[in-house]
Coordinates of all heavy atoms in Angstrom, one line a residue:
E17 N 3.5 6.3 5.2 CA 4.9 6.1 5.2 C 5.4 6.0 6.6 O 5.1 6.9 7.4 CB 5.7 7.2 4.5 CG 7.2 6.9 4.5 CD 8.0 8.1 3.9 OE1 8.0 8.3 2.7 OE2 8.6 8.9 4.7
F18 N 6.1 4.9 7.0 CA 6.8 4.8 8.3 C 8.3 5.0 8.1 O 8.8 4.6 7.1 CB 6.4 3.4 8.9 CG 5.0 3.2 9.1 CD1 4.4 2.1 8.5 CD2 4.2 4.0 9.9 CE1 3.0 1.9 8.7 CE2 2.9 3.8 10.1 CZ 2.2 2.7 9.5
S46 N 4.5 2.1 3.4 CA 5.9 2.0 2.9 C 6.8 2.3 4.1 O 6.4 2.9 5.1 CB 6.1 2.9 1.7 OG 6.3 4.2 2.1
V47 N 8.0 1.8 4.0 CA 9.0 2.0 5.1 C 10.3 2.6 4.5 O 10.9 2.0 3.5 CB 9.3 0.6 5.8 CG1 10.3 0.9 6.9 CG2 8.1 0.0 6.3
T48 N 10.8 3.7 5.1 CA 11.9 4.4 4.6 C 13.2 3.6 4.7 O 13.3 2.6 5.5 CB 12.2 5.7 5.3 OG1 12.4 5.5 6.7 CG2 11.0 6.7 5.1
Y49 N 14.2 3.9 4.0 CA 15.5 3.2 4.0 C 16.7 4.2 4.3 O 16.7 5.3 3.7 CB 15.8 2.6 2.6 CG 17.0 1.8 2.6 CD1 17.0 0.4 2.9 CD2 18.3 2.3 2.2 CE1 18.1 -0.4 2.9 CE2 19.4 1.5 2.2 CZ 19.3 0.2 2.5 OH 20.5 -0.6 2.5
R50 N 17.5 3.9 5.2 CA 18.8 4.6 5.4 C 19.8 3.5 5.5 O 19.5 2.4 6.0 CB 18.8 5.3 6.8 CG 17.8 6.4 6.9 CD 18.2 7.7 6.3 NE 17.2 8.8 6.3 CZ 16.2 8.9 5.5 NH1 16.0 8.0 4.6 NH2 15.3 9.9 5.6
V51 N 21.0 3.7 5.0 CA 22.0 2.7 4.9 C 22.3 2.0 6.2 O 22.4 0.8 6.4 CB 23.2 3.1 4.1 CG1 24.1 4.1 4.9 CG2 24.0 1.9 3.6
T57 N 14.5 -1.7 8.0 CA 13.5 -1.5 6.9 C 12.9 -2.8 6.4 O 11.7 -3.0 6.4 CB 14.1 -0.8 5.7 OG1 14.6 0.5 6.1 CG2 13.1 -0.5 4.6
M73 N 5.6 -1.8 1.2 CA 6.7 -1.5 0.2 C 8.0 -1.1 0.9 O 7.9 -0.2 1.8 CB 6.2 -0.4 -0.8 CG 7.3 0.1 -1.7 SD 6.6 1.1 -3.0 CE 6.2 2.6 -2.1
A74 N 9.1 -1.6 0.4 CA 10.4 -1.2 1.0 C 11.0 -0.1 0.1 O 11.0 -0.2 -1.1 CB 11.3 -2.4 1.0
H75 N 11.4 1.0 0.8 CA 12.2 2.0 0.1 C 13.6 1.4 -0.1 O 14.1 0.7 0.8 CB 12.3 3.3 0.8 CG 11.0 4.0 1.1 ND1 10.9 5.3 1.4 CD2 9.7 3.5 1.0 CE1 9.7 5.7 1.5 NE2 8.9 4.6 1.3
L76 N 14.3 1.8 -1.2 CA 15.7 1.4 -1.4 C 16.4 2.5 -2.1 O 15.8 3.2 -3.0 CB 15.8 0.1 -2.2 CG 17.2 -0.5 -2.3 CD1 17.7 -0.9 -1.0 CD2 17.1 -1.8 -3.2
T77 N 17.6 2.8 -1.6 CA 18.3 4.0 -2.2 C 19.6 3.5 -2.9 O 20.0 2.4 -2.9 CB 18.7 5.0 -1.1 OG1 19.7 4.4 -0.3 CG2 17.5 5.4 -0.3
C78 N 20.3 4.5 -3.5 CA 21.6 4.2 -4.2 C 22.7 4.3 -3.2 O 23.8 4.6 -3.6 CB 21.8 5.2 -5.3 SG 20.5 5.2 -6.6
A79 N 22.5 4.0 -1.9 CA 23.6 4.1 -0.9 C 24.5 2.9 -0.9 O 25.4 2.9 -0.1 CB 22.9 4.4 0.4
L101 N 10.3 1.0 -3.6 CA 10.4 2.4 -4.0 C 11.8 2.8 -4.3 O 12.6 2.8 -3.3 CB 9.8 3.3 -2.9 CG 9.6 4.8 -3.3 CD1 8.6 5.0 -4.4 CD2 9.3 5.7 -2.1
A102 N 12.2 3.0 -5.5 CA 13.6 3.1 -5.9 C 14.0 4.6 -5.9 O 13.4 5.4 -6.6 CB 13.8 2.6 -7.3
L103 N 14.9 4.9 -5.0 CA 15.3 6.3 -4.8 C 16.8 6.6 -4.9 O 17.6 5.6 -4.7 CB 14.9 6.7 -3.3 CG 13.4 6.5 -3.0 CD1 13.3 6.1 -1.5 CD2 12.6 7.8 -3.3
R104 N 17.1 7.8 -5.2 CA 18.6 8.2 -5.1 C 19.0 8.2 -3.6 O 20.0 7.6 -3.3 CB 18.8 9.5 -5.7 CG 20.2 9.9 -6.1 CD 21.0 10.5 -5.0 NE 20.4 11.6 -4.3 CZ 20.5 12.9 -4.5 NH1 21.2 13.3 -5.6 NH2 20.0 13.8 -3.7
G105 N 18.2 8.8 -2.8 CA 18.6 8.9 -1.3 C 18.8 10.3 -1.0 O 19.3 11.1 -1.8
D106 N 18.5 10.6 0.3 CA 18.8 12.0 0.8 C 20.2 12.3 1.0 O 21.1 11.3 1.1 CB 18.1 12.1 2.2 CG 16.6 12.5 2.2 OD1 16.3 13.2 1.2 OD2 15.9 12.0 3.1
D107 N 20.6 13.6 1.1 CA 21.9 13.9 1.5 C 22.2 13.4 2.9 O 21.2 13.4 3.7 CB 22.1 15.5 1.5 CG 22.0 16.0 0.1 OD1 22.3 15.3 -0.9 OD2 21.6 17.2 0.0
R113 N 26.6 16.7 0.5 CA 25.9 16.1 -0.7 C 26.0 14.6 -0.7 O 26.9 14.0 -0.2 CB 26.6 16.7 -2.0 CG 26.5 18.2 -2.2 CD 25.1 18.7 -2.0 NE 24.2 18.4 -3.1 CZ 24.0 19.2 -4.1 NH1 24.5 20.4 -4.1 NH2 23.2 18.9 -5.1
F114 N 24.9 14.1 -1.3 CA 24.8 12.6 -1.5 C 26.0 12.2 -2.4 O 26.2 12.7 -3.5 CB 23.5 12.2 -2.1 CG 23.4 10.8 -2.5 CD1 22.8 9.9 -1.5 CD2 23.8 10.3 -3.7 CE1 22.7 8.6 -1.8 CE2 23.6 9.0 -4.0 CZ 23.1 8.1 -3.1
A122 N 24.1 6.2 -9.5 CA 24.2 7.6 -9.1 C 22.8 8.2 -9.0 O 22.6 9.2 -8.3 CB 25.0 8.4 -10.2
H123 N 21.8 7.7 -9.7 CA 20.5 8.3 -9.7 C 19.4 7.2 -9.6 O 19.7 6.0 -9.9 CB 20.2 9.1 -10.9 CG 20.9 10.4 -10.9 ND1 20.5 11.4 -10.1 CD2 22.0 10.8 -11.5 CE1 21.4 12.4 -10.2 NE2 22.3 12.1 -11.1
A124 N 18.2 7.6 -9.1 CA 17.1 6.6 -9.0 C 16.9 5.8 -10.3 O 16.6 4.6 -10.3 CB 15.9 7.4 -8.6
S125 N 17.1 6.5 -11.4 CA 16.8 5.8 -12.7 C 17.8 4.7 -12.9 O 17.5 3.6 -13.5 CB 17.0 6.8 -13.9 OG 18.2 7.5 -13.8
D126 N 19.1 4.8 -12.3 CA 20.0 3.7 -12.4 C 19.6 2.5 -11.6 O 19.7 1.4 -12.0 CB 21.4 4.1 -11.9 CG 21.9 5.3 -12.7 OD1 21.7 5.4 -13.9 OD2 22.6 6.2 -12.0
I128 N 16.4 1.8 -10.8 CA 15.3 1.2 -11.5 C 15.7 0.3 -12.6 O 15.3 -0.8 -12.7 CB 14.3 2.3 -12.0 CG1 13.8 3.2 -10.9 CG2 13.2 1.7 -12.8 CD1 13.1 4.5 -11.3
A142 N 8.7 5.3 -7.9 CA 9.8 6.3 -7.8 C 9.2 7.6 -7.2 O 8.0 7.8 -7.2 CB 10.4 6.5 -9.2
A143 N 10.2 8.5 -6.8 CA 9.8 9.8 -6.2 C 9.7 10.8 -7.3 O 10.4 10.7 -8.4 CB 10.8 10.2 -5.2
C144 N 8.9 11.8 -7.1 CA 8.9 13.0 -8.0 C 8.6 14.2 -7.1 O 8.1 14.1 -6.0 CB 8.0 12.9 -9.2 SG 6.2 12.8 -8.7
S145 N 8.9 15.4 -7.7 CA 8.7 16.6 -6.9 C 7.6 17.4 -7.5 O 7.6 17.7 -8.7 CB 10.0 17.5 -6.9 OG 11.0 16.8 -6.3
K148 N 10.0 22.3 -7.5 CA 11.3 22.0 -8.0 C 12.1 21.3 -6.9 O 12.2 21.8 -5.8 CB 11.9 23.3 -8.5 CG 13.0 23.1 -9.5 CD 13.5 24.4 -10.0 CE 14.3 25.2 -8.9 NZ 15.4 24.6 -8.2
H149 N 12.8 20.2 -7.3 CA 13.8 19.5 -6.4 C 14.9 20.5 -6.1 O 15.3 21.2 -7.1 CB 14.3 18.3 -7.1 CG 15.2 17.5 -6.2 ND1 16.6 17.8 -6.0 CD2 15.0 16.4 -5.4 CE1 17.1 16.9 -5.2 NE2 16.2 16.0 -4.8
P150 N 15.4 20.6 -4.9 CA 16.4 21.7 -4.6 C 17.6 21.6 -5.5 O 18.3 22.6 -5.7 CB 16.8 21.3 -3.1 CG 15.7 20.5 -2.5 CD 15.0 19.8 -3.7
E151 N 17.9 20.4 -6.0 CA 19.1 20.3 -6.9 C 18.8 20.6 -8.4 O 19.8 20.7 -9.2 CB 19.7 18.9 -6.8 CG 20.3 18.6 -5.5 CD 20.6 17.1 -5.3 OE1 21.0 16.4 -6.3 OE2 20.4 16.6 -4.2
S152 N 17.6 20.7 -8.7 CA 17.2 20.9 -10.2 C 17.3 22.4 -10.5 O 16.7 23.2 -9.8 CB 15.8 20.4 -10.5 OG 15.8 19.0 -10.4
P153 N 17.9 22.7 -11.7 CA 17.9 24.1 -12.1 C 16.5 24.6 -12.5 O 16.2 25.8 -12.3 CB 18.9 24.2 -13.2 CG 19.1 22.8 -13.7 CD 18.7 21.9 -12.5
T154 N 15.8 23.7 -13.2 CA 14.4 24.2 -13.7 C 13.4 23.0 -13.6 O 13.8 21.9 -13.4 CB 14.5 24.5 -15.2 OG1 15.0 23.3 -15.9 CG2 15.5 25.6 -15.5
H157 N 14.0 20.5 -16.3 CA 15.1 19.5 -16.0 C 14.5 18.4 -15.1 O 14.7 17.2 -15.4 CB 16.2 20.3 -15.2 CG 17.3 19.5 -14.7 ND1 17.3 18.8 -13.5 CD2 18.6 19.2 -15.2 CE1 18.4 18.1 -13.3 NE2 19.2 18.4 -14.3
E158 N 13.7 18.8 -14.2 CA 13.1 17.8 -13.3 C 12.2 16.9 -14.0 O 12.2 15.6 -13.8 CB 12.2 18.7 -12.3 CG 11.7 18.0 -11.1 CD 12.7 17.5 -10.2 OE1 13.8 18.0 -10.1 OE2 12.4 16.5 -9.5
M159 N 11.4 17.4 -15.0 CA 10.5 16.6 -15.8 C 11.3 15.6 -16.6 O 10.8 14.4 -16.8 CB 9.6 17.5 -16.6 CG 8.6 16.8 -17.5 SD 7.4 15.8 -16.5 CE 6.5 17.0 -15.5
R160 N 12.4 16.0 -17.2 CA 13.2 15.1 -18.0 C 13.6 13.8 -17.3 O 13.5 12.7 -17.7 CB 14.5 15.9 -18.5 CG 15.3 15.0 -19.5 CD 16.6 15.7 -19.9 NE 16.5 17.2 -19.9 CZ 17.5 18.0 -19.7 NH1 18.7 17.5 -19.4 NH2 17.4 19.3 -19.7
Y161 N 14.0 14.0 -16.0 CA 14.5 12.9 -15.2 C 13.3 12.1 -14.6 O 13.4 10.9 -14.4 CB 15.5 13.3 -14.2 CG 16.8 13.7 -15.0 CD1 17.2 15.1 -14.9 CD2 17.5 12.8 -15.8 CE1 18.3 15.5 -15.7 CE2 18.6 13.2 -16.5 CZ 19.0 14.5 -16.5 OH 20.1 14.9 -17.2
M162 N 12.2 12.8 -14.4 CA 11.0 12.0 -14.0 C 10.6 11.1 -15.1 O 10.2 9.9 -14.9 CB 9.9 13.1 -13.6 CG 8.6 12.5 -13.3 SD 7.6 13.8 -12.7 CE 6.0 13.3 -13.3
L164 N 12.5 9.9 -17.4 CA 13.5 8.8 -17.5 C 13.2 7.7 -16.6 O 13.3 6.5 -16.9 CB 14.9 9.4 -17.3 CG 16.1 8.4 -17.4 CD1 16.2 7.8 -18.8 CD2 17.4 9.0 -17.0
K165 N 12.8 8.1 -15.3 CA 12.5 7.0 -14.3 C 11.3 6.1 -14.8 O 11.3 4.9 -14.6 CB 12.2 7.7 -13.0 CG 13.4 8.3 -12.3 CD 13.2 8.7 -10.9 CE 12.9 10.1 -10.7 NZ 13.0 10.6 -9.3
L173 N 4.4 6.9 -9.4 CA 5.2 7.9 -8.8 C 4.6 8.4 -7.5 O 3.3 8.5 -7.4 CB 5.4 9.1 -9.7 CG 6.1 8.7 -11.1 CD1 5.8 9.8 -12.1 CD2 7.6 8.6 -10.9
I174 N 5.4 8.8 -6.5 CA 4.8 9.5 -5.3 C 5.5 10.8 -5.2 O 6.8 10.9 -5.3 CB 5.2 8.7 -4.0 CG1 4.7 7.2 -4.1 CG2 4.5 9.3 -2.8 CD1 5.1 6.4 -2.9
T175 N 4.7 11.8 -5.0 CA 5.3 13.2 -4.9 C 6.0 13.4 -3.6 O 5.6 12.9 -2.5 CB 4.3 14.3 -5.1 OG1 3.5 14.5 -4.0 CG2 3.5 14.1 -6.3
Q176 N 7.0 14.3 -3.6 CA 7.5 14.9 -2.4 C 6.4 15.7 -1.8 O 5.4 16.0 -2.5 CB 8.7 15.8 -2.8 CG 9.5 16.4 -1.7 CD 10.0 15.4 -0.7 OE1 9.2 15.1 0.3 NE2 11.2 14.9 -0.8
L177 N 6.4 16.1 -0.5 CA 5.4 16.8 0.1 C 5.2 18.2 -0.6 O 6.1 18.7 -1.1 CB 5.7 17.1 1.6 CG 6.9 18.0 1.9 CD1 6.4 19.4 2.3 CD2 7.7 17.4 3.1
V201 N 0.9 9.7 -7.2 CA 0.2 9.8 -5.9 C 0.7 11.0 -5.1 O 1.9 11.1 -4.9 CB 0.5 8.5 -5.1 CG1 -0.2 8.5 -3.7 CG2 0.2 7.2 -5.9
G203 N 1.9 13.1 -2.1 CA 2.5 12.8 -0.8 C 2.2 14.0 0.2 O 2.4 15.1 -0.2
M219 N 14.7 20.5 3.4 CA 15.1 19.3 2.7 C 14.4 19.0 1.4 O 15.0 18.6 0.4 CB 14.8 18.0 3.6 CG 15.9 17.7 4.5 SD 15.5 16.3 5.5 CE 15.9 15.0 4.4
S220 N 13.1 19.4 1.3 CA 12.3 19.0 0.1 C 12.2 20.1 -0.9 O 11.9 19.9 -2.0 CB 10.9 18.6 0.6 OG 10.3 19.8 1.2
H265 N -1.1 9.6 0.1 CA 0.0 9.0 0.8 C 0.5 9.9 1.9 O 0.9 11.1 1.6 CB 1.2 8.7 -0.2 CG 2.3 8.0 0.4 ND1 2.2 6.7 0.8 CD2 3.6 8.3 0.6 CE1 3.4 6.2 1.3 NE2 4.2 7.2 1.2
Y267 N 2.9 11.1 4.9 CA 4.2 11.0 5.6 C 3.9 11.1 7.1 O 3.5 12.2 7.6 CB 5.1 12.2 5.2 CG 5.5 12.1 3.7 CD1 5.0 13.1 2.8 CD2 6.2 11.1 3.2 CE1 5.3 13.0 1.5 CE2 6.6 11.0 1.9 CZ 6.1 12.0 1.0 OH 6.4 11.9 -0.3
Ligands
FAD1 P1 16.8 11.2 -8.5 O1 15.7 10.8 -9.4 O2 18.2 10.6 -8.8 O3 16.9 12.8 -8.6 C1 17.9 13.6 -7.8 C2 18.2 14.9 -8.6 O4 19.0 14.5 -9.7 C3 17.1 15.7 -9.2 O5 17.4 17.0 -9.2 C4 16.9 15.1 -10.6 O6 16.3 16.0 -11.5 C5 18.4 14.8 -11.0 N1 18.5 13.7 -11.8 C6 17.8 12.5 -11.8 N2 18.3 11.6 -12.7 C7 19.4 12.2 -13.3 C8 20.3 11.8 -14.2 N3 20.2 10.6 -14.8 N4 21.3 12.7 -14.6 C9 21.4 13.9 -14.1 N5 20.5 14.4 -13.1 C10 19.5 13.5 -12.7 N6 15.5 9.4 1.0 C11 16.1 8.4 1.6 O7 17.3 8.6 1.9 N7 15.4 7.3 2.1 C12 14.1 7.1 1.9 O8 13.5 6.1 2.3 C13 13.4 8.1 1.1 N8 12.1 8.0 0.9 C14 11.4 8.9 0.0 C15 10.1 8.7 -0.3 C16 9.5 9.7 -1.2 C17 8.0 9.4 -1.6 C18 10.1 10.8 -1.6 C19 9.5 11.8 -2.5 C20 11.5 11.0 -1.2 C21 12.1 10.1 -0.4 N9 13.5 10.2 -0.1 C22 14.1 9.3 0.7 C23 14.2 11.5 -0.5 C24 14.9 11.3 -1.8 O9 15.9 10.4 -1.7 C25 15.4 12.7 -2.1 O10 14.3 13.6 -2.5 C26 16.5 12.8 -3.1 O11 17.0 14.1 -3.1 C27 16.1 12.6 -4.6 O12 15.6 11.3 -4.7 P2 15.1 10.8 -6.2 O13 14.9 9.4 -6.0 O14 14.1 11.7 -6.7 O15 16.5 11.0 -7.0

Side-chain angles (χ1 to χ4, degrees):
E17 180 188 282
F18 300 120
S46 76
V47 181
T48 61
Y49 185 90
R50 297 278 176 281
V51 73
T57 302
M73 171 168 70
H75 296 199
L76 188 59
T77 68
C78 298
L101 188 67
L103 301 146
R104 196 276 311 267
D106 274 328
D107 292 335
R113 296 310 287 263
F114 175 90
H123 285 288
S125 50
D126 302 326
I128 299 167
C144 65
S145 298
K148 202 176 67 56
H149 184 279
E151 291 167 39
S152 291
T154 60
H157 175 277
E158 189 66 23
M159 182 58 65
R160 184 182 328 150
Y161 293 113
M162 176 172 145
L164 179 64
K165 290 191 264 196
L173 298 161
I174 308 177
T175 74
Q176 186 52 274
L177 69 98
V201 183
M219 273 178 83
S220 64
H265 185 65
Y267 297 112

